[in-house]
Amino acid sequence: MPILVFVETAEGKIKKTSLEGVAYAHAMGGPVTAIALGDVETAELEGLGKYGASKVLHAADPKLNKGIIQVYASVLSKAMQDEQADILIISNSSLGTPVAARVAVKVGASLAANIVSLPETTSGFVVKRSIYSGKAFAHVELKNQKKVLVLRKNAADIKEVGAPVKVTPYSVSLSDADFAVTITSAELATGEVLLPEANIVVSGGRGMKGPEHWHLLEDLAKTLHAATGCSKPVSDMGWRPHHEHVGQTGIKVAPQLYIAVGISGAIQHLAGVNSSKYIVVINKDAEAPFFKAADYGIVGDAFEILPKLTEAIKKAQ
Amino acid sequence: MKILVCISHVPDTTSRINFIDNNTKFDTAGVQYIIGPYDDYALARAIELKESTGSTVHVLNVGLADTEPTLRKALAIGADEAIRINAEPTDSFFVASQIASQAKANGYDLILMGRESIDYNSGVVHSIVGELLSLPSVSPVMKLDIEGNKAKVAREIEGGKEYLEVNLPFVAGCQEPIAEWKIPNMRGIMSARTKPLKVVEPTTIDGGVKLTKFELPPPKGAVKMVSADKVEELVTLLKNEAKVL
Ligand SMILES: Cc1cc2nc3c(=O)[nH]c(=O)nc-3n(C[C@H](O)[C@H](O)[C@H](O)COP(=O)(O)OP(=O)(O)OC[C@H]3O[C@@H](n4cnc5c(N)ncnc54)[C@H](O)[C@@H]3O)c2cc1C
Ligand SMILES: Nc1ncnc2c1ncn2[C@@H]1O[C@H](COP(=O)(O)O)[C@@H](O)[C@H]1O
């Protein structure tokens, strides 16, 4: 039986976290059917074959161009039926997670979110999920025949395992009742690396003294092709937009590298970054608690170190 | 308007997490409990709406008797009535089903929750409740204005915001800056003692999810310090040792 993977797109391109979803399903043993909704480049969809999809469905109805949660949930639960898929895999996002929850109810599936690794299937179907804001994990058994898995970033490694496949059009019949929510407009940062997707995050705290100094972090971020983040007080004071706030009550990031500059390392901030592979801390106070959670540290003034670090990285590239 | 606010009873954000009984039980020793931080935003917005539109606000928690001080705190903040569904909140589907059956019985115009709980933090209970009641669900909501029978909502999405309109009733998962957290005052605390707190027995439901064990992340190794005048060394380490550049 195929494993269905919901592939999310942004500006016509497939999100990296969705490629992780395809890789995850492939690592589970597949066969993998990927499904994309709304406007997306065909070449992008064909390319899913390289990461392990043996079938790619595309529901191109323009009514699906806006990600309306109820609409997507109906389409995906129908697709599970049509494809006779018992398992649906969705990557965590502001669209993916609510859609997953609603699909689970519609099809009577066991649901688990924030999954961090491949399932253990020796006795039952057990997944490991992140709980307590990244401070711990729970192993949960999903007992129903049908299962909806919501993956956290880095739950699987993206690997090239196959060749591009042909895209199969998937036609849908949409119900008016699912369009109860009208999306009137959106404000989106363009051309930036998105925080939840980023492999490297450069983050600043109150130690940066004010928004007028953020160009130092932005220069470093640009050099590393990284996203920028911040601590809660920084977004509370309006130095940076709210969607950059990292921590227990903000975004939880899981990049390969998290560079924290002028952030003290309060437990609520650490809760949002403790899934990072490597952490670099730059702080003028050698006693800052963040150093205890770091892999590499520099004690010193951010305003002196940042330009030097950006230069040194440019040189090494 | 009748508003329902669902609150989780969770360890304070500064809590260190530990498990006992062979990693099968959460260690409550020394843990302070609070209203979930996001749920606190939902409650604060509900109280603002109560004041501006003359609504009534019910708060609900699925939990055992030890969560009652948390419900009393919500009453002190300004909710009119509390409901406790007497069950251990074992999984999201179970919790959502209990909430949905209460909501069905009482008929609310608006159901507010937090974007996620900070213990199970799945961020799914609002969406499940929405689906169970065939109502729209929107999360995470940063701004919520009610105009007659319609709500205008701003939702946070990756890298920005989305603006939506939806008719009441619906379910929202809330986060800052929807409202400022409210701290109970003396009058609130006094009146909370006599406000109704109803205990309801749960309906039996199996969400098909069973906990097998908990696990703590491995402790972090020692930090490697690099001198401030040798930043090139850091670059070399990131490149050759961590292999992240
Ligand atoms: C319920 C609750 C939830 C919370 N959730 C979050 C959350 O999700 N995310 C979050 O971040 N916080 C959260 N907080 C707040 C948290 O407790 C801390 O207050 C916050 O993280 C501190 O931010 P900061 O490190 O930027 O500022 P500070 O604690 O003020 O630290 C500034 C740091 O900068 C250093 N510094 C100063 N000047 C320089 C310089 N020139 N060069 C280098 N270093 C310098 C200082 O040594 C200091 O360590 C929460 C708090 C509560 C109560
Ligand atoms: N035990 C509970 N009782 C009442 N409401 C809850 C409970 N658990 C979660 N919720 C609500 O559901 C939201 C989302 O929770 P979750 O899906 O666990 O992240 C929370 O912010 C609360 O508003």
Side-chain angles (χ1 to χ4, degrees), chain B residues 148-223:
Chain B
N149 191 35
K150 188 186 272 181
K152 291 195 169 173
V153 174
R155 179 171 97 97
E156 185 164 278
I157 56 175
E158 288 73 20
K161 279 183 219 169
E162 194 173 76
Y163 296 90
L164 351 132
E165 289 183 5
V166 55
N167 285 343
L168 304 184
F170 75 104
V171 189
C174 305
Q175 70 167 35
E176 62 193 349
I178 193 165
E180 297 257 352
W181 281 332
K182 294 203 178 342
I183 299 160
N185 58 27
M186 209 50 208
R187 220 186 65 210
I189 294 168
M190 298 303 286
S191 68
R193 292 188 190 157
T194 53
K195 285 180 180 170
L197 192 164
K198 218 166 65 183
V199 179
V200 178
E201 288 308 316
T203 52
T204 23
I205 273 147
D206 184 356
V209 176
K210 192 175 134 236
L211 178 89
T212 59
K213 66 170 187 226
F214 292 113
E215 183 187 328
L216 287 175
K220 199 91 186 166
V223 53

Side-chain angles (χ1 to χ4, degrees), chain A:
Chain A
M1 266 201 242
I3 300 172
L4 191 66
V5 180
F6 167 53
V7 169
E8 206 181 324
T9 59
E11 295 169 47
K13 304 267 186 223
I14 291 165
K15 285 193 174 180
K16 213 180 123 242
T17 42
S18 292
L19 296 182
E20 290 181 356
V22 172
Y24 188 96
H26 183 262
M28 277 177 67
V32 185
T33 299
I35 180 165
L37 277 52
D39 195 20
V40 49
E41 294 169 16
T42 308
E44 284 275 305
L45 291 178
E46 290 170 347
L48 289 169
K50 288 193 292 195
Y51 304 102
S54 51
K55 184 172 177 187
V56 176
L57 301 175
H58 183 206
D61 191 315
K63 283 200 182 131
L64 297 172
N65 285 350
K66 280 185 178 166
I68 296 175
I69 291 161
Q70 282 169 284
V71 177
Y72 273 38
S74 290
V75 172
L76 291 179
S77 50
K78 179 78 182 3
M80 275 183 89
Q81 274 169 20
D82 290 347
E83 296 300 309
Q84 297 187 319
D86 277 342
I87 299 179
L88 172 66
I89 291 178
I90 295 189
S91 293
N92 167 53
S93 76
S94 63
L95 179 64
T97 308
V99 167
R102 297 192 76 123
V103 173
V105 177
K106 283 182 194 290
V107 304
S110 295
L111 169 72
N114 281 321
I115 294 172
V116 298
S117 55
L118 285 169
E120 205 28 271
T121 49
T122 39
S123 63
F125 187 104
V126 179
V127 287
K128 177 171 162 181
R129 52 181 304 260
S130 166
I131 55 169
Y132 291 105
S133 310
K135 294 177 193 168
F137 300 102
H139 295 253
V140 292
E141 185 184 349
L142 306 184
K143 293 185 299 184
N144 295 359
Q145 168 98 24
K146 292 206 165 64
K147 299 164 180 59
V148 175
L149 315 185
V150 185
L151 308 186
R152 212 177 132 121
K153 189 165 179 290
N154 296 338
D157 292 328
I158 300 168
K159 284 190 206 125
E160 289 212 18
V161 292
V165 289
K166 224 173 71 234
V167 177
T168 313
Y170 182 72
S171 69
V172 291
S173 62
L174 303 170
S175 142
D176 283 346
D178 286 338
F179 286 89
V181 171
T182 315
I183 301 175
T184 49
S185 65
E187 266 167 33
L188 270 183
T190 49
E192 282 176 31
V193 184
L194 292 180
L195 191 51
E197 293 259 304
N199 271 332
I200 303 181
V201 175
V202 175
S203 201
R206 201 139 55 175
M208 290 302 294
K209 306 282 192 289
E212 67 278 16
H213 300 128
W214 235 260
H215 66 96
L216 295 171
L217 291 169
E218 281 165 344
D219 286 347
L220 177 60
K222 211 168 283 161
T223 309
L224 289 168
H225 201 65
T228 51
C230 66
S231 67
K232 183 171 189 293
V234 165
S235 76
D236 285 350
M237 292 182 293
W239 295 1
R240 299 298 296 174
H242 186 270
H243 65 254
E244 290 195 3
H245 150 203
V246 171
Q248 180 151 17
T249 53
I251 307 274
K252 281 123 204 135
V253 296
Q256 297 289 311
L257 177 61
Y258 187 81
I259 304 179
V261 187
I263 303 177
S264 58
I267 190 164
Q268 296 99 347
H269 188 82
L270 297 183
V273 306
N274 48 18
S275 303
S276 308
K277 193 137 184 234
Y278 288 94
I279 295 177
V280 170
V281 169
I282 300 171
N283 196 303
K284 70 171 186 193
D285 174 10
E287 301 298 316
F290 218 146
F291 285 116
K292 290 205 182 72
D295 298 282
Y296 304 107
I298 300 183
V299 177
D301 184 0
F303 299 99
E304 282 169 28
I305 293 168
L306 280 172
K308 282 201 242 167
L309 183 58
T310 306
E311 268 323 296
I313 288 168
K314 275 186 187 154
K315 239 182 242 159
Q317 277 170 345

